[in-house]
Amino acid sequence: MAAVQPETSAVSLRQKLFRRKPVGVMSAETGADTGGGELARTIGLFQLTLFGVGATIGTGIFVILTEAVPTAGPAVILSFVMAGVVAGLTAICYAELAGAVPVSGSSYSYAYATLGEAIAMVVAACLLLEYGVSAAGVAVGWSQYVNELLDNLFGFTIPDSISQAPEQGGIFNLPAVVLIWLCTLLLLRGASESAKINAIMVLIKLGVLALFVVVGLQGWNSDHLSNFAPDGFSGINAAAGIIFFSYIGLDAVSTAGEEVKNPRRNLPLAILGALVIVTTIYVLVAVVAVAAQPVSAFNGQEAGLSNILESVTGSTWPASVLAAGAIVSIFSVTLVVIYGQTRILFAMSRDGMIPQFFHKLNQRTLVPVRSTIFVAVVISLLAGVIPINFLFEMTSIGTLVAFLVVSIGVMVLRQTQPDLPRGFKVPLYPLIPIASIGGCIWIIKDLRAVTIYVFLIWTAVALAWYFFYGIRHSKLGKAKS
Ligand code: ALA
């Protein structure tokens, strides 16, 4: 008897760690096919597509493009294509899972359905980095553009002491915190209002970038493209790793699974539509930027897109329009990313992985009000005191690991539930999920060792939480016992 006991409990622990939430249960409790569910289904395909574009186009194109040119030369265009291919392969995998499992938890829910509870918890930790930390990082980027615009218009900038993190010579980044609370106030009004205002902001950001392409083309000089790839493939490769950040956000569409009309059709279409729009815009902007000025001019250039227009037109108004456009663009990234974070916590709380606090809705607006305020407080603290580079690196690793799990999840679900209704199926299966896994590993391998160590510690904290809380409160576990 004494010899049997440990074996039984070991088996039962393994069963707990790998218990999977049936997709049918998820779809039924969220009303995926009946239009019901706890949240209000108010978002249509157009708004949802702009949700994906809104969460994606931001600091990456306005800041990181110019930072990546010195690494790759004009071949940064190819870096954009490479990063876009990796993000695109994963987006295709997301599209299949989002259509098959149309709930709010994004890759957390997909992992719960395919790889089990413990891995879902690790993915949730990744998503906290992707959403919570990136919202903070992007808000810090916003504060830089606010200063740029104030400087252009009034010759005045907010003092460093209240617009920089302590490590960069300030005390607290106030503009970043203001942005987070503006987004929070909007989110508290409801998902539908937020999606409408996001759609307007996205149209403005697309307009500003289209303006950049049209006006910037006037500065076209093919001589600037002559030394196309000064550092060859290694330069293109290194820049692709930096640029990958600009593609983060396409998956935010999948956090809206329970507030979308006809989710099995609209989620995959919106993810793929956003991917096409974002990749087209990025490549056009990159081509125009590198043809407009020599590579040497990108070194240390701040607000690069604004400066390019200024030198092409000889006037300062384009710089101000660009800075204003960047402010609107980054606002919408922050809005959607905070939204996504609250909906992932909502799904986790419903599953018993975190306290019920995150599952409580305001009865009138159907918004998780307390959770939204809690998230805003935490993100404000991060944005106020942590430097931007560290925030960006942690975002990238969290996202890449979540992407990896989603690509694996597509293959697992095809094996375990081949007949599940899917709004969209990954073409060239299994080539695309395998290429997506390879692409994510290829970018992860070039991240700094410190980023990987901090990530591993963070994952261990998430697992510790799971053993302390989730494993005992799991709704799935309670239903089975
Ligand atoms: N992709 C988003 C941005 O570039 C996070 O701001």
Side-chain angles (χ1 to χ4, degrees):
M1 190 69 190
V4 173
Q5 203 99 39
E7 196 189 329
T8 311
S9 60
V11 169
S12 109
L13 177 64
R14 199 179 322 129
Q15 282 172 339
K16 284 179 186 169
L17 297 183
F18 291 105
R19 60 192 165 205
R20 291 181 296 199
K21 188 167 177 183
V23 175
V25 171
M26 289 194 192
S27 302
E29 74 188 2
T30 60
D33 299 304
T34 55
E38 294 174 276
L39 302 170
R41 289 197 181 274
T42 51
I43 304 174
L45 177 61
F46 177 70
Q47 284 177 359
L48 188 62
T49 307
L50 296 191
F51 225 69
V53 178
T56 312
I57 300 181
T59 331
I61 194 72
F62 285 100
V63 178
I64 292 176
L65 162 64
T66 40
E67 286 179 6
V69 175
T71 308
V76 77
I77 301 164
L78 299 182
S79 309
F80 263 98
V81 174
M82 280 167 89
V85 167
V86 175
L89 291 169
T90 319
I92 292 171
C93 295
Y94 262 94
E96 173 161 333
L97 289 185
V101 192
V103 299
S104 280
S106 185
S107 36
Y108 154 77
S109 298
Y110 309 153
Y112 206 172
T114 55
L115 299 170
E117 200 169 271
I119 294 179
M121 200 64 209
V122 171
V123 172
C126 295
L127 294 178
L128 280 168
L129 293 178
E130 180 183 352
Y131 287 82
V133 175
S134 81
V138 170
V140 174
W142 187 78
S143 120
Q144 291 173 5
Y145 267 96
V146 169
N147 258 342
E148 169 82 15
L149 186 65
L150 289 175
D151 194 19
N152 280 353
L153 294 181
F154 311 112
F156 156 84
T157 54
I158 304 171
D160 278 0
S161 60
I162 52 165
S163 64
Q164 295 285 359
E167 199 177 292
Q168 288 160 333
I171 298 169
F172 198 70
N173 193 328
L174 186 64
V177 174
V178 169
L179 169 65
I180 289 161
W181 285 95
L182 288 175
C183 292
T184 303
L185 289 178
L186 188 52
L187 288 172
L188 292 178
R189 292 175 59 88
S192 171
E193 275 78 358
S194 303
K196 280 184 199 140
I197 294 180
N198 176 65
I200 295 168
M201 289 193 289
V202 172
L203 295 176
I204 293 173
K205 88 165 98 178
L206 293 179
V208 168
L209 289 171
L211 174 89
F212 174 83
V213 171
V214 172
V215 178
L217 263 180
Q218 293 164 25
W220 185 277
N221 180 348
S222 5
D223 290 349
H224 295 151
L225 304 177
S226 55
N227 188 9
F228 190 66
D231 291 319
F233 183 71
S234 69
I236 298 173
N237 196 3
I242 306 171
I243 283 166
F244 180 74
F245 180 85
S246 27
Y247 285 94
I248 292 176
L250 291 168
D251 51 309
V253 167
S254 65
T255 64
E258 292 174 47
E259 284 156 287
V260 172
K261 298 172 194 160
N262 196 358
R264 288 198 198 278
R265 168 183 172 271
N266 286 343
L267 285 168
L269 282 179
I271 293 175
L272 299 175
L275 171 69
V276 171
I277 295 173
V278 166
T279 310
T280 311
I281 293 276
Y282 282 176
V283 172
L284 287 177
V285 170
V287 170
V288 170
V290 291
Q293 64 177 18
V295 170
S296 55
F298 286 92
N299 268 320
Q301 188 177 41
E302 288 203 353
L305 300 190
S306 301
N307 284 317
I308 290 172
L309 288 196
E310 198 169 328
S311 60
V312 166
T313 60
S315 149
T316 54
W317 71 262
S320 303
V321 173
L322 247 295
I327 286 171
V328 173
S329 298
I330 300 172
F331 190 113
S332 85
V333 176
T334 314
L335 178 78
V336 180
V337 170
I338 297 178
Y339 165 89
Q341 181 65 81
T342 62
R343 287 349 185 230
I344 292 162
L345 293 173
F346 178 81
M348 291 175 71
S349 176
R350 176 170 53 212
D351 294 337
M353 293 294 116
I354 53 176
Q356 283 303 298
F357 172 88
F358 296 96
H359 187 219
K360 294 252 174 347
L361 295 175
N362 174 291
Q363 286 314 306
R364 190 178 54 81
T365 57
L366 296 184
V367 169
V369 169
R370 293 185 208 175
S371 163
T372 306
I373 293 174
F374 178 88
V375 165
V377 170
V378 174
I379 294 176
S380 298
L381 290 174
L382 294 177
V385 298
I386 299 185
I388 192 166
N389 288 350
F390 186 69
L391 294 171
F392 282 168
E393 283 174 38
M394 292 315 298
T395 301
S396 290
I397 189 158
T399 308
L400 282 159
V401 175
F403 281 9
L404 203 61
V405 172
V406 165
S407 311
I408 297 169
V410 167
M411 296 199 281
V412 173
L413 205 60
R414 286 270 187 122
Q415 294 301 317
T416 53
Q417 299 197 51
D419 301 326
L420 196 69
R422 289 167 167 85
F424 167 82
K425 278 183 120 174
V426 168
L428 300 179
Y429 180 85
L431 204 64
I432 286 191
I434 292 173
S436 171
I437 293 168
C440 292
I441 294 174
W442 166 67
I443 296 184
I444 290 174
K445 80 175 176 13
D446 286 335
L447 294 174
R448 289 189 310 159
V450 62
T451 309
I452 294 176
Y453 292 143
V454 174
F455 173 75
L456 290 177
I457 294 170
W458 176 239
T459 306
V461 170
L463 280 175
W465 170 264
Y466 173 66
F467 284 110
F468 165 75
Y469 186 95
I471 202 165
R472 284 185 287 130
H473 292 82
S474 160
K475 293 269 167 62
L476 190 59
K478 285 186 178 158
K480 283 191 172 164
S481 57

